[in-house]
Amino acid sequence: MDDEDSARISATSSLIEVSADPVTGLSGATAVNTNSEKSSGGNDLEPGQGANPEYHDEGDHDSVAVATVAAPKKKKKKSKSKGQRGLGKPTGFEEYYVDAPVTPEEYNEEQDLYNRRIEMAIQRYKAKRNFDSERKDLFDKYMGYGGIDTGPKMFSGGLDAKLLADKNAAEIATMTATNFVGADKDNEGGSKFVVDFDGVVKGFLSSRLPQVLDVATEKQIKSCTAIIRNFLNYLLHHDVCPEYKDQILAARSTCDLAEKELWACKQASAWLPGDFNTACSTIFGGYYQNMYIGDQEWAKDLDIYKGMSTETAKLIFKAGLAAQATDSVFEDFNAKTKEKNLRVTSTIATGLEVMDILKADRDVLGMYAAQKPSLKPLGKMKARTWYNPTLPEEDLTEEEEVATAIALKEVKVYELWIEDEVLEKCFVGMKFDVTVRELNFGVLYFDTIIGVHCSFYCMLPNELMIGWKEPGPRLPKREKAVDGEVHDTHEEEEDDVNQTNEDYVEL
């Protein structure tokens, strides 16, 4: 190796030592492939491997910079964890969730805030809970049913970070609130509205909830009742309205009861009227008569209810008659059968309230097991007349209205035969809207089930007020002048019924 080659190598080495990446600060020597067999002074580096341009020795055009620096890798954007996105945070609706103890400072602050106690309690409650869309929808519907106005605050001009920077939690909750107590409900002692926590819960869960939400599973029902119960617990914990403590406790008990009864009603509506009543309807006339399509070729592969065949219906009816009929009913049945005069004598559309449930006794179970093991044992249900308060009133004349007001409402007691597996879904106090048919030998049967309701079923006038708004002022009269322009008369329009007839003369 001559002196010229040594000088060239020395110059190349100095380039490698001093060429550092201005971004990372790492020496360019780290980019040299020292493991490659074809490596000769770094001249075989791949193009684009370094971010810096090649360096040339100004004094010697033969000298080539071999040091290039690896480009800095782009940092991958890390996705936020569930906790950062708020998905893992407690919602406040967990089964064993409790609010933190109220400190003396918070208590004094809340006593000051709760001058309009219910409104502020609702706003602060929503601020302390993590509502998803389903929970928020249910809670707003519950609030609306209870007379609380729900919706964004109008004409607030929007809220930004600067406006909220110097506000405390209570002030922010007030500014961002979407629930308000109307002016007509805020006059203590002068309001026409009655405070009834338990009545609102009963009406909402029994009447309104099945209409506005599809509660098809037990889990959905428990979720609905848990939200309302959680709000009631918040009111108790913060001592919002101690004068209504008994009502709130009663409303909470209603939530516990609704959790069981609403699911039972859902199951009963799917199981009723049962095989025996379907058989009677098929044989003697009613909703299920001529419904059977199981013998049709086109219907064999369809996954739908195909009705009950006449042969199966007769088998079920005779077994039920043998199990539950009294001697007098048997004698009448045999007599009517000989006369070929089995028929329906009356059809009644009525409401029923369950008074007692009698499942099949040991003798009935033994008879079915010995003679008809393929059939379901038959029990009894005793029910009385129930007048559904949500049904529209009958259109009566003035005389009939007076007579109806004076007369006492008739209450009948009915005995209906239903399978044990269906009776398990029913409970004392359950209410039905049904059509009942009576045969001429004393047997009653369900023909159609229109509705199944829980024991505390009721409808409040609140339901009629949902979505109602105060009417605005009447528009002024407008007259068209001769020149075609329209001018206000500054007089309000009057209804036709209030207009007077100038030709009328009072005698």
Side-chain angles (χ1 to χ4, degrees), residues 219-276:
K219 182 179 179 180
Q220 290 174 326
I221 292 173
K222 288 184 176 181
S223 176
C224 293
T225 56
I227 293 170
I228 299 175
R229 187 189 299 110
N230 187 276
F231 172 68
L232 297 173
N233 286 337
Y234 180 89
L235 297 181
L236 292 172
H237 181 74
H238 288 262
D239 200 24
V240 176
C241 37
E243 67 271 31
Y244 298 112
K245 182 177 179 180
D246 293 340
Q247 284 192 20
I248 297 174
L249 291 173
R252 197 170 61 174
S253 299
T254 300
C255 291
D256 299 336
L257 183 63
E259 198 169 274
K260 301 175 183 177
E261 292 192 358
L262 287 176
W263 177 235
C265 291
K266 196 72 178 179
Q267 290 181 296
S269 62
W271 284 77
L272 288 167
D275 290 346
F276 177 81

Side-chain angles (χ1 to χ4, degrees), residues 90-100 128-129 230 233:
T91 62
F93 295 101
E94 289 78 13
E95 183 177 359
Y96 298 107
Y97 179 87
V98 292
D99 287 289
K128 292 185 177 182
R129 295 295 185 271
N230 187 276
N233 286 337

Side-chain angles (χ1 to χ4, degrees), residues 146-147 182-187 190-196 244 462 465:
D184 57 337
K185 309 177 188 72
D186 196 35
N187 300 323
S191 176
K192 297 179 181 179
F193 291 82
V194 177
V195 178
D196 188 354
Y244 298 112
N462 301 29
M465 300 299 293

Side-chain angles (χ1 to χ4, degrees), residues 327-362:
D327 294 339
S328 60
V329 171
F330 243 124
E331 292 175 1
D332 290 344
F333 171 74
N334 291 329
K336 300 297 181 183
T337 302
K338 292 178 181 179
E339 298 172 3
K340 296 183 178 180
N341 188 28
L342 297 174
R343 59 185 177 84
V344 175
T345 57
S346 64
T347 301
I348 307 168
T350 184
L352 296 178
E353 180 181 355
V354 178
M355 298 171 58
D356 197 7
I357 294 174
L358 304 171
K359 293 186 179 180
D361 56 24
R362 186 177 300 177

Side-chain angles (χ1 to χ4, degrees), residues 405-455:
I406 297 174
L408 296 175
K409 290 185 177 181
E410 185 180 9
V411 177
K412 293 183 178 180
V413 177
Y414 300 84
E415 181 179 283
L416 299 150
W417 301 346
I418 306 174
E419 285 74 19
D420 277 0
E421 66 176 11
V422 182
L423 291 176
E424 290 178 356
K425 318 298 180 186
C426 302
F427 54 86
V428 175
M430 179 181 277
K431 297 175 172 64
F432 305 96
D433 291 312
V434 297
T435 302
V436 178
R437 291 176 180 256
E438 184 175 5
L439 299 171
N440 61 349
F441 51 90
V443 174
L444 299 168
Y445 66 90
F446 284 124
D447 185 32
T448 52
I449 307 294
I450 301 170
V452 182
H453 313 291
C454 49
S455 61

Side-chain angles (χ1 to χ4, degrees), residues 24-44:
T24 63
L26 297 176
S27 172
T30 58
V32 178
N33 186 358
T34 57
N35 296 327
S36 175
E37 294 179 358
K38 297 181 180 180
S39 176
S40 58
N43 292 326
D44 58 340

Side-chain angles (χ1 to χ4, degrees), residues 10 33 53 64 69 71 85 122 212 426 439 498-499:
S10 176
N33 186 358
V64 180
V69 180
R85 297 197 303 267
I122 294 169
V212 297
C426 302
L439 299 171
N498 295 329
Q499 292 178 356

